[in-house]
Amino acid sequence: MGVRPPADNNDEPDVIEFGIAALDARLTDVEIEYPATADEVRDAAGHISVPFDASGHSMTVAEALSEANATRFENEQDLLNDLHPVFERRREATRNSLLSQLRSLVPF
């Protein structure tokens, strides 16, 4: 997923990536040989922090893997598909938190 940031500053990127889009972008720098187990992915990419919402809240790949049901990935697309619900649940939980609701009331 991604969202466009406010247009008043030209120094920032056009899109803020989070969730699976951010994970996909970060995996380009990591060498993982597929098929791979969850442990192999954790060893190669577990330290990588991935934002799961537009506010910048993040979790590591290791945390996401621990919440996923899959233990083996045939290719990168399988990995992304299996981790997608984990990032979505975390995004929804953060969005529904009391602090997030209070922030949405403040105009700045």
Side-chain angles (χ1 to χ4, degrees):
M1 297 191 112
V3 226
R4 291 198 178 277
D8 43 324
N9 187 347
N10 292 334
D11 295 339
E12 296 196 21
D14 291 337
V15 174
I16 298 170
E17 291 181 330
F18 59 91
I20 295 305
L23 176 59
D24 188 29
R26 284 162 175 77
L27 287 178
T28 60
D29 298 333
V30 179
E31 287 199 32
I32 301 173
E33 290 189 32
Y34 294 96
T37 65
D39 288 335
E40 291 169 336
V41 173
R42 188 175 290 108
D43 290 343
H47 64 284
I48 297 173
S49 181
V50 181
F52 56 81
D53 65 9
S55 298
H57 296 103
S58 63
M59 66 190 302
T60 64
V61 173
E63 291 172 311
L65 287 168
S66 69
E67 293 182 28
N69 295 326
T71 57
R72 182 176 172 83
F73 310 100
E74 294 301 317
N75 52 47
E76 186 175 313
Q77 191 59 52
D78 280 350
L79 174 65
L80 296 174
N81 290 343
D82 288 334
L83 293 184
H84 183 289
V86 174
F87 285 103
E88 283 299 303
R89 279 193 304 271
R90 195 61 81 90
R91 185 179 64 80
E92 284 294 319
T94 303
R95 186 183 79 170
N96 293 331
S97 74
L98 179 60
L99 183 58
S100 293
Q101 292 176 15
L102 290 173
R103 279 187 185 149
S104 69
L105 297 174
V106 180
F108 48 88

